[in-house]
Amino acid sequence: MNLQTQDIDLTACEREPIHIPGSIQPHGILLALRLSDRTLAYASANIAEIFGLDPTDALGRPFAEVLPVLSRELEAQLADPPPAGTTQYLRTIEISTAQGQRTYEAAISRSGECVVLELEETPLEAVSSLDSLYPTLRRFVEQLQGASSVEILCGLAAQDVRGMTGFDRVLIYRFDEQWNGTVIAEDRNEVLPSYLDLRFPASDIPAQARELYRRNRLRIISDANYTPVPIQSRDPAPLDLSDSVLRSVSPVHLEYMRNMGTLASMSISILRDGRLWGLISCHSKEPKRVSLQVRNACDFLTQIFSLQLEARENTTLAEKRVRLGAVQTRLLAHMAAEDHFIAGLMNNPDDLMRLAGAQGAAVLTEDRCWCLGETPSEDQVKGLFAWLSENHQEDVFSTDCLSQDYPAARSFADRASGLLSISISKARPSYVLWFRPEVVQTVKWGGNPQKPVQEEAGTARLHPRRSFEIWKETVRERSLPWDRSETEAVKELRHAIVGIVLRRAEELAAISEELRRSNKELEAFSYSVSHDLRAPFRHIVGFSELLKKQESSELSERGRRYIDTIIDSAYTAGTLVDNLLRFSQMGRTALKPRRIDMNCLIDEVRQQLTVHAAGRRIEWVIGDLPEVTADPVLIRLVFENLLDNAVKYTRPREKARIEIGSTRNGGETAFFVRDNGVGFDMRYIDKLFGVFQRLHRMEDFEGTGIGLANVRRIVERHGGRTWAEGILDRGATFSIALPDETMTEGAA
């Protein structure tokens, strides 16, 4: 029969309810009393053997009635039990049992609505008091002061825990980010083999087991071949033994221990900021009991060790932060000295890469890419930028195995197996990236990390690993990991860059506001001046014409030429004033958009211009013009200007050709007016749409230089854009694009 391993749920042991095993280890007694009435709610079945009590008869009765001597002995502790999540050692007490006087170590904890009393029989070789353990604890504390590294600290802890407990082997076991554990220190005799530097997979200690390690710091299994003692109760709900010292363990774990060649074990949790950092793991080839007092001393030693470990790691971290802080200060000075922060980064590549301990870096915006040091190609970096923009817009992103998240990274693992990035804009994707190359490692596992699936009685079941021989694995596509000081340093750099960008944005906003205010004042001034000048220029033209008509007989030929010059100049000035008034009104009048039949509008403008161009040969080519939504008065003015210019600047041609057409592009409609006139030099394109800008002599072509400025202003107020192309003496094309949804606010 073929075994289908893919159908086996490899996470089954992670869901095993190990906190409610329903039994305890046989070297103790468990009694759980209801807090509300002090009745016996749960009891281990061995009370029958030890106290001569029938559990079914004792359950539900007052504890003081069932075990009166024990109730009186522990009255104060039962009246004020410790809070949930805490196990409190009480003291060693003498108890009369069916086998005579025995010594038990008492511990108390909470479980739901019950207080749990556990009595653990004292081992024969037990230490009588903490006095005998004090020299070891004192020596350990003194040695900690001289330990120069974390490795030495761990070695001292392993040595002294083994000295107090007498286990054959004591390991210091540290978890990584994926919860794999590595043995970083060891003290042993020759009974058990060395596990130093071996790695063990996360599946060896499932998630719910790690949570119990975090919550209940110390656990002992005296004999992996023990027969569990069931807990009896009339309550169908099982008793939560998360804080128990006698809690029975999973049969899978006991099988794991036997496969490992260890029949006794003890684990002490190493916590950092309430999080499980690692374990002190003790093993013995033969069954072994360790007194509660010795275990408490080991727990105390471990807590001292954890504090010293934290202090050492924090010192190392602080020293690195100081070094990186100096680098960051230099980068900030470089950025502040440049017009744009990117120049400050790119001109100082060594500091930029040193900040994150990287071998390559890149700065990217939507339209630019700058690469420094050892990086993927520019196209590969741009592909990474697109992936980050879509999937990782958080402030800081880091990985030491980029190919896991971004498979395309396999092609450049030698330059960028590790990635650290900061996003420096939420509005428009912009990133600073740091790269680390692949570091090929050979990892020594304590046996093949894959849990085997085997067939038993026609069914498949998971087995704990049977072999702990060294199993080597070559790890590729991984870089050295980014540590906390490096991620914090680049995060601080991001805050600084955002601060620079915001400060400059505020400066630009202030300048923009001042410019807007000045423009409004200028518009008001232009409106006022142009409005007030219209009447005087009309008067000049009117009275000059009256003078020419009524007094012409009295004037010389020269006098009449002078009057004609006055009339022409006043008329031109009046036209300029009218155009200036119209230009100033563009920003003062609200848009009134509606649907416009462009074919009809162009035809009306064309007919009007044809009257003024009588006698000229003009070929009009008009394409299919779609309707648009816009202000009809202003759009009419746009095409009056464009078509009038086309008629004017084709005047030197024997046969003028003027084409009007349109195209669709995304969410906008573009119109163009193309002619075969005098054209213009593209070197002066930036002047074309400016106010009072002319590219031809006034003697050759009349005009005020405001028409195209009006065109641009009207189109931009509609949310559109304008552009032009020309070739000198070969014609020009003027284009406008109007969006499907026209802006409707007032002055732009």
Side-chain angles (χ1 to χ4, degrees):
M1 171 179 169
N2 292 328
L3 187 64
Q4 301 296 318
T5 58
Q6 64 267 29
D7 295 333
I8 304 301
D9 184 359
L10 296 177
T11 65
C13 62
E14 293 187 5
R15 298 192 302 274
E16 185 179 1
I18 59 175
H19 62 296
I20 49 171
S23 61
I24 62 170
Q25 298 179 57
H27 57 273
I29 308 159
L30 181 141
L31 304 164
L33 319 178
R34 294 193 191 283
L35 287 168
S36 57
D37 56 11
R38 295 274 190 91
T39 57
L40 188 63
Y42 298 85
S44 55
N46 55 2
I47 65 169
E49 175 189 349
I50 295 172
F51 295 121
L53 294 172
D54 181 356
T56 57
D57 180 56
L59 290 169
R61 292 169 54 195
F63 183 56
E65 180 182 312
V66 175
L67 292 168
V69 175
L70 192 59
S71 176
R72 287 194 299 273
E73 182 80 16
L74 301 175
E75 173 62 30
Q77 291 79 17
L78 293 173
D80 185 24
T86 303
T87 301
Q88 180 182 339
Y89 165 69
L90 301 180
R91 61 182 181 277
T92 302
I93 58 177
E94 293 278 341
I95 298 178
S96 296
T97 69
Q99 292 80 27
Q101 288 291 111
R102 289 192 179 179
T103 303
Y104 287 88
E105 293 166 322
I108 192 170
S109 61
R110 290 277 293 270
S111 179
E113 297 302 316
C114 293
V115 57
V116 179
L117 177 64
E118 294 177 90
L119 304 173
E120 184 176 346
E121 189 170 6
T122 307
L124 296 177
E125 70 279 10
V127 176
S128 59
S129 72
L130 282 174
D131 293 343
S132 58
L133 300 171
Y134 176 73
T136 301
L137 292 173
R138 178 176 178 177
R139 185 181 69 253
F140 176 71
V141 172
E142 290 173 348
Q143 290 174 323
L144 287 180
Q145 305 303 317
S148 58
S149 67
V150 170
E151 289 73 18
I152 293 175
L153 278 176
C154 293
L156 290 174
Q159 178 183 333
D160 285 348
V161 168
R162 197 172 86 82
M164 286 192 294
T165 60
F167 276 98
D168 293 326
R169 180 178 61 207
V170 176
L171 312 172
I172 307 294
Y173 183 93
R174 181 175 186 172
F175 294 111
D176 64 17
E177 292 298 321
Q178 289 75 42
W179 295 107
N180 300 309
T182 301
V183 178
I184 59 174
E186 176 184 74
D187 191 74
R188 67 184 181 92
N189 55 28
E190 296 304 316
V191 175
L192 292 175
S194 173
Y195 280 178
L196 186 62
D197 294 329
L198 295 189
R199 184 180 295 189
F200 294 84
S203 57
D204 280 8
I205 305 179
Q208 88 280 27
R210 294 194 297 269
E211 174 57 22
L212 286 181
Y213 279 129
R214 188 196 64 78
R215 178 171 172 174
N216 192 348
R217 291 194 305 267
L218 195 147
R219 184 192 69 174
I220 187 167
I221 301 169
S222 299
D223 185 353
N225 290 317
Y226 76 83
T227 301
V229 177
I231 297 173
Q232 297 185 348
S233 176
R234 293 177 182 174
D235 192 331
L239 184 65
D240 187 337
L241 298 181
S242 296
D243 300 318
S244 167
V245 297
L246 292 171
R247 176 176 59 84
S248 189
V249 297
S250 166
V252 174
H253 183 74
L254 296 176
E255 187 177 350
Y256 181 94
M257 288 178 61
R258 292 191 291 270
N259 294 345
M260 199 181 197
T262 58
L263 291 184
S265 73
M266 185 176 82
S267 298
I268 314 165
S269 302
I270 304 169
L271 303 179
R272 284 283 313 276
D273 299 322
R275 188 175 186 269
L276 191 61
W277 181 92
L279 298 172
I280 298 180
S281 187
C282 311
H283 303 129
S284 183
K285 187 174 180 62
E286 301 299 331
K288 182 175 183 60
R289 297 277 309 285
V290 178
S291 71
L292 190 57
Q293 295 219 33
V294 171
R295 279 147 47 197
N296 285 339
C298 290
D299 183 33
F300 180 64
L301 181 149
T302 303
Q303 291 185 61
I304 296 173
F305 164 71
S306 297
L307 291 173
Q308 191 68 16
L309 180 67
E310 182 175 2
R312 289 302 169 109
E313 290 188 339
N314 286 343
T315 298
T316 302
L317 188 63
E319 290 172 350
K320 191 166 185 180
R321 280 173 175 160
V322 170
R323 291 197 303 272
L324 296 181
V327 176
Q328 186 182 86
T329 300
R330 290 199 299 271
L331 280 174
L332 291 177
H334 297 322
M335 289 190 293
E338 301 286 352
D339 291 336
H340 197 283
F341 75 89
I342 291 178
L345 299 178
M346 303 311 297
N347 294 336
N348 299 276
D350 291 342
D351 277 343
L352 180 60
M353 290 186 282
R354 191 178 291 119
L355 185 70
Q359 281 70 53
V363 181
L364 296 106
T365 63
E366 284 183 315
D367 50 5
R368 292 293 302 275
C369 174
W370 298 266
C371 294
L372 298 167
E374 295 295 321
T375 70
S377 70
E378 185 171 326
D379 286 343
Q380 290 169 333
V381 172
K382 288 179 178 178
L384 183 58
F385 168 78
W387 174 76
L388 284 169
S389 301
E390 183 175 351
N391 298 283
H392 290 284
Q393 298 175 4
E394 59 263 40
D395 293 349
V396 180
F397 170 74
S398 68
T399 176
D400 60 357
C401 187
L402 180 58
S403 60
Q404 278 188 354
D405 300 311
Y406 181 58
R410 292 192 179 96
S411 62
F412 49 82
D414 59 325
R415 284 155 291 156
S417 285
L419 172 69
L420 178 60
S421 75
I422 56 174
S423 169
I424 53 180
S425 174
K426 298 297 184 185
R428 300 179 63 188
S430 303
Y431 291 88
V432 180
L433 312 180
W434 289 268
F435 303 106
R436 279 182 177 170
E438 174 186 50
V439 177
V440 180
Q441 302 176 66
T442 299
V443 177
K444 296 187 295 182
W445 293 89
N448 190 322
Q450 302 301 319
K451 284 191 174 182
V453 179
Q454 296 185 356
E455 187 178 4
E456 289 185 2
T459 62
R461 74 179 278 260
L462 285 170
H463 282 266
R465 290 186 291 109
R466 286 188 165 90
S467 172
F468 291 85
E469 293 295 323
I470 294 177
W471 189 83
K472 294 183 179 180
E473 177 190 20
T474 300
V475 178
R476 304 193 67 96
E477 297 176 5
R478 280 190 180 275
S479 71
L480 295 176
W482 309 94
D483 68 30
R484 190 168 67 180
S485 63
E486 291 159 344
T487 56
E488 288 176 353
V490 302
K491 192 171 186 177
E492 287 298 318
L493 179 67
R494 178 189 178 275
H495 292 329
I497 291 173
V498 170
I500 290 171
V501 172
L502 288 177
R503 185 170 65 252
R504 291 188 175 168
E506 289 172 355
E507 292 170 356
L508 289 175
I511 293 171
S512 177
E513 177 61 24
E514 180 63 22
L515 184 60
R516 187 184 66 82
R517 186 184 62 79
S518 298
N519 283 340
K520 277 187 171 286
E521 291 177 355
L522 183 59
E523 282 181 4
F525 175 76
S526 300
Y527 180 82
S528 176
V529 169
S530 57
H531 184 274
D532 293 345
L533 285 176
R534 294 175 77 191
F537 282 123
R538 286 187 180 131
H539 290 161
I540 292 171
V541 172
F543 282 107
S544 295
E545 288 179 342
L546 283 174
L547 181 62
K548 179 181 177 182
K549 180 178 180 181
Q550 295 177 5
E551 306 294 335
S552 61
S553 60
E554 302 295 328
L555 294 174
S556 65
E557 183 65 27
R558 178 182 293 178
R560 285 194 292 272
R561 285 202 309 272
Y562 288 165
I563 290 176
D564 288 341
T565 301
I566 292 171
I567 292 171
D568 289 343
S569 297
Y571 180 80
T572 300
T575 303
L576 180 60
V577 166
D578 287 342
N579 287 340
L580 184 60
L581 180 62
R582 181 179 291 176
F583 182 76
S584 66
Q585 287 175 324
M586 291 298 170
R588 304 168 66 88
T589 307
L591 298 181
K592 298 176 181 178
R594 62 180 177 82
R595 295 298 288 174
I596 303 172
D597 183 338
M598 293 301 296
N599 287 293
C600 181
L601 183 146
I602 293 296
D603 188 59
E604 290 174 0
V605 174
R606 185 179 64 82
Q607 294 295 339
Q608 176 184 328
L609 292 173
T610 301
V611 172
H612 296 295
R616 287 186 55 196
R617 295 177 61 197
I618 300 176
E619 178 187 2
W620 294 91
V621 181
I622 301 175
D624 183 25
L625 305 176
E627 290 187 347
V628 295
T629 299
D631 186 302
V633 174
L634 295 181
I635 292 300
R636 184 185 187 90
L637 183 59
V638 165
F639 284 96
E640 283 178 354
N641 274 287
L642 293 179
L643 296 183
D644 183 55
N645 281 349
V647 170
K648 181 186 350 179
Y649 290 109
T650 57
R651 198 160 53 209
R653 301 292 181 252
E654 181 180 347
K655 180 180 180 181
R657 187 179 191 277
I658 301 173
E659 180 183 358
I660 303 110
S662 68
T663 59
R664 283 285 299 166
N665 183 20
E668 64 181 13
T669 302
F671 297 91
F672 65 86
V673 176
R674 183 177 295 126
D675 65 63
N676 64 340
V678 297
F680 60 87
D681 192 331
M682 287 293 287
R683 287 180 298 175
Y684 306 111
I685 185 69
D686 292 337
K687 293 183 176 182
L688 197 61
F689 290 94
V691 182
F692 303 129
Q693 297 292 334
R694 298 177 54 84
L695 301 188
H696 302 89
R697 294 190 312 164
M698 192 169 183
E699 292 84 350
D700 297 331
F701 298 100
E702 70 281 1
T704 59
I706 297 180
L708 289 178
N710 271 336
V711 168
R712 170 160 285 181
R713 193 165 204 192
I714 291 169
V715 172
E716 287 181 348
R717 286 203 57 205
H718 282 78
R721 53 198 179 92
T722 58
W723 68 99
E725 297 173 347
I727 301 176
L728 197 58
D729 204 38
R730 293 181 60 184
T733 302
F734 288 83
S735 302
I736 69 166
L738 298 173
D740 294 342
E741 296 296 328
T742 301
M743 297 167 59
T744 58
E745 70 268 17

